[in-house]
Amino acid sequence: MTAKIISGSEISADIRSELKARVTRLKAQGKTPFLGVVLVGEDPGSLSYVRSKEKGCEEIGMRETTIRLPADAPESRVIQEVDRLNKDKEVDGILVQTPLPKHVDTEKVLYFISPEKDVDGFHPVNMGKLLRGQSCFIPCTPHGIQEMLMRTGNDPSGKHVVICGRSNLVGKPLAALLVQKTAGANAVVTVVHTGTAHIQYFSRQADIVVAAMGSPLFIKADMIKEGAVVIDVGMNRIEDKSREKGYRFVGDVDFEKVKEKASAITPVPGGVGLMTVTMLLQNTIEAAEKTAGIRQ
Ligand code: GUN
């Protein structure tokens, strides 16, 4: 079996055209959705991620501002900027790009973001609501994965989803999302991680495998069952002397081999990464619709 490629670019383009229409409707009411980003330092991954958020906002007609702080900015300064965005009535969504430098307590900074503007869905109030099945901002990567599954006819309901990785960014919120008794979820969820002795024992039973452990090419063909759906969240920079830059990006899945056994698979790049940004735009529009009184 050769897998169908689940294209994050195509699905993103579809969603973004739907979002554009919502932005137009908001603008007609005098409201332009506005995202405020706080970026501390110059981590190359963060810089490229923030650039794609800026581009995404521009593409669909949203406002965006990035507050750039030096890597040695004190924690109090980061919190001060978050607070300024909290109080700014024009700003609908706030995102603090992670990872933050080591001297800054990420949990403390996230706690300061107003939950009504927390479009990343990382604030404990939103995380708690997600777990309890209440309406909230859903973290962007898990939400993007759910959309990719649903829009390609791979409804996770009743399926065994094995999530590899237990990060606060992906693994844990994705498990909380897919286990709910709701449309687009209702899955049997297993989370495996660095404390799991035989990951392949679990991954081979999965109807859907989500690789989110940040380990290049970790998932091999013999770790999945024939016909499984494979979602690759990894974005790892590896040395490649044949490339002009001397490196290339690969996922957590051995794509070339796994695609011969899976029924559907996401590529890297061009897969989940784009969806994360698209869902961020969606969450910011939702926040703006609430402010404009269009949405509860
Ligand atoms: N770093 C990597 N992914 C993300 C994300 O979705 N949000 C934030 N704030 N930081 C990230």
Side-chain angles (χ1 to χ4, degrees), residues 13-183:
D14 288 349
I15 298 176
R16 285 185 193 195
S17 73
E18 295 160 21
L19 295 180
K20 235 181 189 164
R22 284 163 70 178
V23 172
T24 305
R25 191 153 71 110
L26 277 163
K27 280 183 169 171
Q29 299 197 356
K31 172 82 197 146
T32 304
F34 188 4
L35 173 69
V37 175
V38 179
L39 173 65
V40 188
E42 307 215 328
D43 171 68
S46 293
L47 285 173
S48 112
Y49 198 50
V50 167
R51 257 195 308 274
S52 67
K53 287 168 190 166
E54 290 167 344
K55 257 177 63 187
C57 286
E58 196 185 314
E59 181 192 328
I60 66 164
M62 283 171 45
R63 283 176 75 192
E64 196 270 352
T65 182
T66 302
I67 295 156
R68 292 165 196 268
L69 299 176
D72 61 356
E75 184 180 277
S76 58
R77 181 74 211 288
V78 183
I79 290 172
Q80 197 184 0
E81 291 300 337
V82 168
D83 207 38
R84 213 161 55 78
L85 293 170
N86 280 339
K87 290 187 176 126
D88 187 333
K89 289 205 164 53
E90 296 204 355
V91 170
D92 300 292
I94 301 172
L95 177 144
V96 177
Q97 183 62 33
T98 61
L100 287 167
K102 287 204 167 55
H103 68 277
V104 180
D105 181 345
T106 303
E107 293 304 319
K108 188 169 166 191
V109 172
L110 294 179
Y111 201 79
F112 272 90
I113 300 174
S114 161
E116 293 77 36
K117 295 190 177 187
D118 170 39
V119 285
D120 248 336
F122 292 163
H123 189 283
V125 164
N126 282 316
M127 282 279 189
K129 285 183 171 180
L130 178 70
L131 192 60
R132 295 183 65 89
Q134 295 174 5
S135 163
C136 63
F137 289 117
I138 301 169
C140 305
T141 303
H143 201 182
I145 292 169
Q146 186 184 44
E147 284 288 337
M148 287 180 117
L149 292 171
M150 291 303 286
R151 287 175 185 249
T152 53
N154 292 297
D155 188 337
S157 182
K159 302 276 168 53
H160 185 193
V161 181
V162 173
I163 301 168
C164 309
R166 58 177 154 189
S167 67
N168 287 321
L169 217 58
V170 184
K172 282 191 262 180
L174 181 63
L177 178 65
L178 294 185
V179 83
Q180 300 299 326
K181 195 172 179 180
T182 51

Side-chain angles (χ1 to χ4, degrees), residues 217-231:
L217 311 175
F218 182 89
I219 300 290
K220 310 284 185 208
D222 64 359
M223 293 172 72
I224 68 154
K225 78 173 174 193
E226 189 80 37
V229 174
V230 180
I231 306 291

Side-chain angles (χ1 to χ4, degrees), residues 266-278:
T266 65
V268 176
V272 174
L274 276 168
M275 292 297 293
T276 299
V277 177
T278 299

